Amino acid sequence: MYNINDLKIRCINSKDNEDIAKVFLEGFDNKVKNILYLPEERTYDFLVDFGILKNYYKEGYFIAEIDGEILGLMLVRWIGQKMEGNKNLGFVQLVKKYGLVATIKVLFKINLVNNNPKKGELFIEHIAVSEKARGLGIGSILLEKAFNMAESMQDIDKVSLAVIDENHRAHKLYKRLGFIDVKNITTRLGKWAVGVYKYTKMERKLI
């Protein structure tokens, strides 16, 4: 049993890659599989190669851990954010590894569902908690980290995120933490790309 009082939030480092991939896949497994089905042993490489995991954002990638075990993660993005290292493999390298048709299809799907932060916005690109640690409040603590970070930054006046309509539990959590619905989006291409047909853009303005 985990003790939430022992929870620590820190920035990502290179040693975390394999562990954060596991937590990421627990939260977004269906979306990833819908982009391109791969055997489990190749999924981590795929996430990194195509830049889906986005572990090159060192400033805004946070890890939640208890006794050294990674149980949650969150990536926040903003305009002007610094990156470190290579974002992903180049097109030629991707084609050599995954084939031309698969590479073009995956890149198109990723571009289709990509959400870039707007001016004045701290955008939570993804947040995930390990299945075995859900219900402890880790998600709420990570979100508070995002709020605190936004309040310390210049030219940021809101925190935003997107939630799929089927994720009622997350939607309720975000509302409880002060987010409000600002835009409902329906997309047939999104359904084809990652299996998501409807989602809601939410935001919480800073006081």
Side-chain angles (χ1 to χ4, degrees):
M1 187 66 182
Y2 299 106
N3 185 345
I4 194 63
N5 293 323
D6 294 329
L7 184 74
K8 295 181 180 179
I9 307 294
R10 62 171 175 81
C11 292
I12 188 178
N13 62 55
S14 59
K15 296 180 180 179
D16 298 323
N17 291 346
E18 293 282 355
D19 290 329
I20 66 171
K22 293 176 183 178
V23 177
F24 182 92
L25 286 170
E26 286 184 6
F28 303 102
D29 183 56
N30 289 333
K31 291 182 183 179
V32 172
K33 285 183 177 179
N34 206 67
I35 292 176
L36 176 65
Y37 177 75
L38 286 172
E40 186 174 341
E41 62 271 15
R42 293 186 62 198
T43 307
Y44 169 72
D45 288 340
F46 169 72
L47 292 173
V48 174
D49 290 346
F50 281 94
I52 296 174
L53 198 59
K54 296 185 177 177
N55 51 0
Y56 45 82
Y57 282 115
K58 305 300 183 183
E59 282 185 309
Y61 217 133
F62 297 100
I63 299 300
E65 64 180 7
I66 295 179
D67 296 330
E69 182 178 0
I70 295 176
L71 299 172
L73 54 88
M74 177 180 66
L75 171 61
V76 297
R77 294 180 59 202
W78 63 92
I79 293 176
Q81 185 176 10
K82 295 180 180 179
M83 295 180 285
E84 296 181 16
N86 296 325
K87 294 176 61 177
N88 45 258
L89 291 184
F91 181 76
V92 174
Q93 294 171 302
L94 289 171
V95 170
K96 288 181 178 179
K97 190 168 184 178
Y98 297 97
L100 178 61
V101 174
T103 296
I104 292 175
K105 184 182 292 186
V106 171
L107 290 175
F108 177 76
K109 288 184 175 183
I110 292 173
N111 184 66
L112 183 66
V113 299
N114 188 43
N115 285 290
N116 291 314
K118 296 178 175 56
K119 184 178 180 180
E121 175 183 70
L122 185 74
F123 181 72
I124 300 174
E125 180 152 317
H126 61 247
I127 180 169
V129 176
S130 174
E131 291 180 357
K132 57 188 175 183
R134 289 175 186 169
L136 297 177
I138 293 176
S140 297
I141 294 172
L142 283 168
L143 289 168
E144 287 298 333
K145 176 68 177 181
F147 300 146
N148 293 337
M149 183 177 184
E151 288 173 347
S152 69
M153 299 171 67
Q154 292 183 344
D155 302 322
I156 297 294
D157 58 20
K158 63 185 174 183
V159 178
S160 61
L161 52 79
V163 57
I164 61 174
D165 281 13
E166 292 86 352
N167 197 345
H168 303 297
R169 181 176 180 179
H171 200 175
K172 289 181 180 178
L173 170 64
Y174 301 148
K175 283 191 172 183
R176 180 167 59 82
L177 293 175
F179 284 91
I180 60 172
D181 297 349
V182 294
K183 188 176 183 181
N184 295 315
I185 301 169
T186 300
T187 168
R188 293 185 183 276
L189 286 175
K191 180 69 173 179
W192 168 74
V194 292
V196 175
Y197 183 52
K198 296 180 180 179
Y199 65 95
T200 301
K201 178 78 177 288
M202 306 182 73
E203 65 181 37
R204 171 175 154 177
K205 293 188 179 297
L206 302 183
I207 300 174

